[in-house]
Amino acid sequence: MFNFILKRKTVDYAVTLFLLALGIMIIYPFLWMLSVSFERLANVELPFPPRLIPENFSWFNYKLVFENGMLIKAYLNSLTVAVFNVLLSVGAALLAGYAFSRGSFPGKKILFFVVLATMMIPFETRLIPMFTMFNSAGMINSKAPLIFPSILNALGILLAKQYFDRLPEGLRESAKVDGAREFTIFIRIFVPLTGPITATLAILAFQDSWNSFLWPLVVINDQALKTVPLFLSSFSGEDGQRLLGLTMATATMSILPILLVFLFFQKYIIRSVALSGLKGE
């Protein structure tokens, strides 16, 4: 018995050390990026060997980034697009998820299968048709093509449907007995229970919108409409060369919103997975 406990503890320690080493390997590039962003001479020469503590600590790179002014504009553009994407995509996912979970209409299973099938279509195959459509509508170089395509998200609909499937059907039946209509049941009874899945969908939508690069690169040419990823990709010195310190400072600033959103909503993500033990009848 003692040997069994000893072996189990040894395995636990080994797994813990492995996960710790893996975590350090994953987080080290981000820590190095942060270190280089505070290195005063990083724009002149690459700090070598890589170190986590800057040798010449300075706010110089961040000062130059903010004096440029374009990062603030890119932040506002990305934030505007992300907020609209979150509101519209989460709302659409909850409506569609509720319809597929509780609704009864002809072709429901086939339509849901078609929605799931869209997840297997690569974005690159839709890029040209989407560009042609928005170009014909005169929406190129505007925020519209950055918002509308993300409203309907198959993954969001799937997650919302699975969440609604686990909520008790008795809630809906009781409301129907009281004479409530379907939309009223959805808004007043089920939506207040969707906090965890709503937070999860919001994080996924925000992250997808904030990190989007290829599609904005295709439809946005105006410097004033550039989002953070586009600004980061085009950020360079006056001679066209990429300055490491400024680039790392800009990259650090670009990931802060996603980091803050995730830290704020992470408890809701865990709760959406646990689903509070609820199970549909």
Side-chain angles (χ1 to χ4, degrees):
M1 184 66 179
F2 177 76
N3 291 334
F4 173 77
I5 296 177
L6 183 61
K7 289 181 180 180
R8 186 169 182 177
K9 287 187 176 181
T10 303
V11 172
D12 290 341
Y13 288 145
V15 172
T16 301
L17 290 176
F18 172 77
L19 293 177
L20 180 62
L22 185 62
I24 293 175
M25 290 175 59
I26 293 175
I27 201 175
Y28 182 83
F30 295 98
L31 296 178
W32 181 78
M33 175 183 70
L34 185 63
S35 173
V36 173
S37 69
F38 287 108
E39 177 59 57
R40 178 67 172 81
L41 302 179
N43 295 321
V44 179
E45 59 180 354
L46 176 67
F48 188 85
R51 49 182 176 265
L52 298 181
I53 300 178
E55 185 174 355
N56 300 284
F57 183 88
S58 173
W59 293 92
F60 175 75
N61 295 319
Y62 289 93
K63 182 180 178 181
L64 290 183
V65 169
F66 282 104
E67 284 181 351
N68 180 273
M70 290 302 297
L71 177 61
I72 304 299
K73 184 64 177 178
Y75 251 88
L76 293 177
N77 291 334
S78 289
L79 187 61
T80 301
V81 173
V83 168
F84 276 101
N85 279 341
V86 168
L87 293 177
L88 295 176
S89 64
V90 171
L94 292 178
L95 284 168
Y98 181 81
F100 282 121
S101 175
R102 306 296 179 176
S104 178
F105 52 88
K108 171 182 169 181
K109 292 184 178 180
I110 297 178
L111 183 58
F112 184 64
F113 175 78
V114 171
V115 171
L116 295 183
T118 61
M119 297 174 62
M120 297 183 289
I121 303 177
F123 173 76
E124 289 75 11
T125 61
R126 295 179 283 134
L127 191 147
I128 295 178
M130 288 171 57
F131 177 83
T132 303
M133 180 180 66
F134 283 106
N135 188 40
S136 301
M139 294 183 178
I140 299 300
N141 270 329
S142 70
K143 292 184 175 69
L146 302 182
I147 297 174
F148 292 147
S150 60
I151 293 178
L152 297 180
N153 183 278
L155 177 60
I157 294 175
L158 173 62
L159 294 177
K161 177 187 180 299
Q162 290 179 331
Y163 189 89
F164 283 121
D165 286 343
R166 293 177 177 267
L167 295 179
E169 177 64 19
L171 296 174
R172 181 165 171 263
E173 293 176 354
S174 299
K176 278 193 170 184
V177 170
D178 293 336
R181 295 183 177 181
E182 199 68 53
F183 189 72
T184 303
I185 296 174
F186 169 72
I187 293 295
R188 295 189 177 183
I189 297 179
F190 281 92
V191 169
L193 299 175
T194 60
I197 191 62
T198 298
T200 302
L201 295 176
I203 290 179
L204 294 177
F206 186 89
Q207 180 179 354
D208 183 64
S209 175
W210 190 271
N211 290 335
S212 180
F213 175 74
L214 179 59
W215 178 239
L217 180 65
V218 172
V219 297
I220 298 296
N221 298 318
D222 191 348
Q223 292 288 336
L225 293 176
K226 281 190 174 182
T227 57
V228 171
L230 293 182
F231 172 75
L232 180 60
S233 68
S234 62
F235 192 80
S236 60
E238 295 180 357
D239 56 355
Q241 295 182 355
R242 180 136 345 233
L243 303 176
L244 184 61
L246 294 178
T247 301
M248 292 303 178
T250 307
T252 301
M253 294 301 300
S254 69
I255 68 173
L256 283 180
I258 294 180
L259 182 61
L260 293 176
V261 168
F262 177 79
L263 291 177
F264 182 77
F265 286 110
Q266 63 175 337
K267 61 180 180 180
Y268 297 104
I269 296 180
I270 298 174
R271 194 179 306 169
S272 69
V273 175
L275 294 175
S276 302
L278 294 175
K279 181 70 176 178
E281 297 297 334

